Amino acid sequence: MAVQRPDPGFDPRELTGEKELDEAELQAQKAVARRIAMLEENGMKLASVDEADRTVEVCRAALIQNGMALQYVPEDMRDMYLCQKALRTTGLALQYVPMSLRSRPVCLLALRHDGLALQYVPEDLRDAAVCRTAILQNSCALHYVPEELLSQEMCTYAMRVDGRALEFVPDALKTPELCFEACRTNGLALAWVPEPLLTGLLRVRALFSAREHVLKVMKVVCLTPPDWEELSRMKPREEWGKFEKWSFEPPADFPCPQERMPGAAEVAAYLTSLADDFVARSGMEDFPARAEAVKTGKSGRGFWVEVREKEAGDGGGEGAGEGAEEAKVAKEHKISIYGPGLALLYEMQQDEHGLPDKPGAFTAAAQLMDWAAGWHEARLCEPLTSAH
């Protein structure tokens, strides 16, 4: 049986309804593809695209790569679809979103990607929940919180995220507790502590926070795999995951104000005095012997040094009743520090900044300073919760 050959003039597009593209239309499609490819690499190049060629498809490609390209999207095209594409890339694109679209959900979307977008949120929407969402993403959003909402609690939320926001706290709200919380999370906060509150505790604690920041940067860099070919030649396969062993030079600029940093001798003297005070209050008279036994290897078992304190003003006096006794117990504050770590402080092997170079001593010293500040969660505000 002879095979029926199709008509040479038959075009399959006749069955689907597609029309044949002429040369001009084909070139136009290629031009659009080139624009999209360019914008997928750098969305800000939307500014160089002719306005007549800024279609939804072209603008979308730019916004996915860089939300700030929203400023180059024609105003009559800035609808909810394109604005959300921009805000999911960067919250700061909120400044280019039409005011008619800056609803509470849209503003919250922006703030979750960049808290500093709070400056572009309409004033009537800047309530406590919205401001808290901004602060949890970027503590420096505190700068744009309405004055009537700048409470002790709001400022404490900001300090817990990053103490550098202490710059934007009114002097009237800068309490010793708030300044300590700021220095605990970021050593740079030391620059914004008022002179009357600038104690040895804050200076040393800020130094510790700066060191933790440096170690964090080092860890991130060291966990980044080096060149795979070189790695495979120099290290056995089972060692490939241990990138933290690779050397890395710490940042040249130590993140702590140099003019306020304590000297190595001052750090050693301060930490030793804290350790002495803690041991004395614990009542552990045999601490020196137990610490020495651990260091010399005569005792392989660790131990804890514990101090229990009651907050000032607790208790109801004699005959106050059972309820007063329960309240008294509830206000008791306990802190325990691992004995060997505390013992290492007395050896004071320090790095170039005066900080203990043994992890156990570093941890014990940080706990000592928290204890010296009387710091614990219940005394400042409720635990962090995101108001989304």
Side-chain angles (χ1 to χ4, degrees), residues 64-281:
I64 290 176
Q65 200 282 324
N66 191 330
M68 296 300 286
L70 186 62
Q71 61 188 295
Y72 303 120
V73 174
E75 292 188 11
D76 59 344
M77 289 178 58
R78 298 183 195 179
D79 56 10
M80 185 65 74
Y81 173 75
L82 289 181
C83 287
Q84 286 192 354
K85 289 294 181 186
L87 294 177
R88 291 184 189 281
T89 307
T90 171
L92 290 177
L94 185 64
Q95 61 188 297
Y96 304 114
V97 173
M99 292 300 296
S100 60
L101 295 180
R102 296 190 199 183
S103 61
R104 185 184 180 88
V106 169
C107 290
L108 287 174
L109 173 64
L111 295 175
R112 291 181 192 123
H113 287 82
D114 195 325
L116 293 179
L118 184 62
Q119 60 188 300
Y120 306 116
V121 173
E123 291 187 5
D124 60 325
L125 293 180
R126 296 188 201 181
D127 56 23
V130 167
C131 291
R132 191 177 295 117
T133 299
I135 287 170
L136 288 172
Q137 202 285 323
N138 189 322
S139 66
C140 288
L142 191 69
H143 184 44
Y144 305 107
V145 173
E147 187 176 350
E148 62 272 15
L149 293 179
L150 278 175
S151 62
Q152 195 75 41
E153 181 184 17
M154 186 70 73
C155 292
T156 301
Y157 269 96
M159 297 311 105
R160 287 185 175 183
V161 176
D162 194 328
R164 61 182 172 164
L166 188 64
E167 175 185 358
F168 307 113
V169 176
D171 285 343
L173 295 178
K174 288 183 180 178
T175 63
E177 293 81 10
L178 191 74
C179 290
F180 176 80
E181 184 69 12
C183 291
R184 190 180 69 85
T185 57
N186 193 321
L188 288 174
L190 196 64
W192 309 105
V193 175
E195 286 290 342
L197 300 180
L198 190 60
T199 63
L201 173 65
L202 289 184
R203 294 172 69 223
V204 178
R205 192 64 185 87
L207 185 64
F208 270 60
S209 300
R211 168 65 180 276
E212 289 168 348
H213 173 78
V214 170
L215 292 177
K216 182 178 179 181
V217 172
M218 289 175 64
K219 183 176 181 181
V220 170
V221 174
C222 291
L223 286 175
T224 303
D227 181 79
W228 283 109
E229 290 186 10
E230 181 182 356
L231 185 66
S232 61
R233 289 197 304 268
M234 298 177 59
K235 295 279 186 178
R237 183 177 293 271
E238 61 269 17
E239 293 283 319
W240 286 12
K242 302 176 182 178
F243 301 124
E244 63 274 9
K245 290 185 176 182
W246 288 70
S247 61
F248 170 69
E249 291 296 325
D253 297 328
F254 201 67
C256 191
Q258 292 291 332
E259 67 279 4
R260 291 193 165 193
M261 281 177 61
E266 186 180 354
V267 175
Y270 182 76
L271 294 180
T272 303
S273 68
L274 281 185
D276 287 338
D277 190 22
F278 189 82
V279 171
R281 294 197 192 191

Side-chain angles (χ1 to χ4, degrees), residues 14-25:
E14 292 179 5
L15 298 178
T16 61
E18 297 179 18
K19 68 174 184 177
E20 184 176 359
L21 294 177
D22 58 27
E23 186 63 25
E25 291 173 320

Side-chain angles (χ1 to χ4, degrees), residues 259-308:
E259 67 279 4
R260 291 193 165 193
M261 281 177 61
E266 186 180 354
V267 175
Y270 182 76
L271 294 180
T272 303
S273 68
L274 281 185
D276 287 338
D277 190 22
F278 189 82
V279 171
R281 294 197 192 191
S282 72
M284 184 179 287
E285 297 180 358
D286 61 341
F287 171 77
R290 297 180 68 176
E292 187 63 28
V294 171
K295 288 192 293 183
T296 57
K298 295 179 181 178
S299 171
R301 300 172 63 184
F303 62 96
W304 293 85
V305 186
E306 184 178 283
V307 168
R308 293 176 178 268

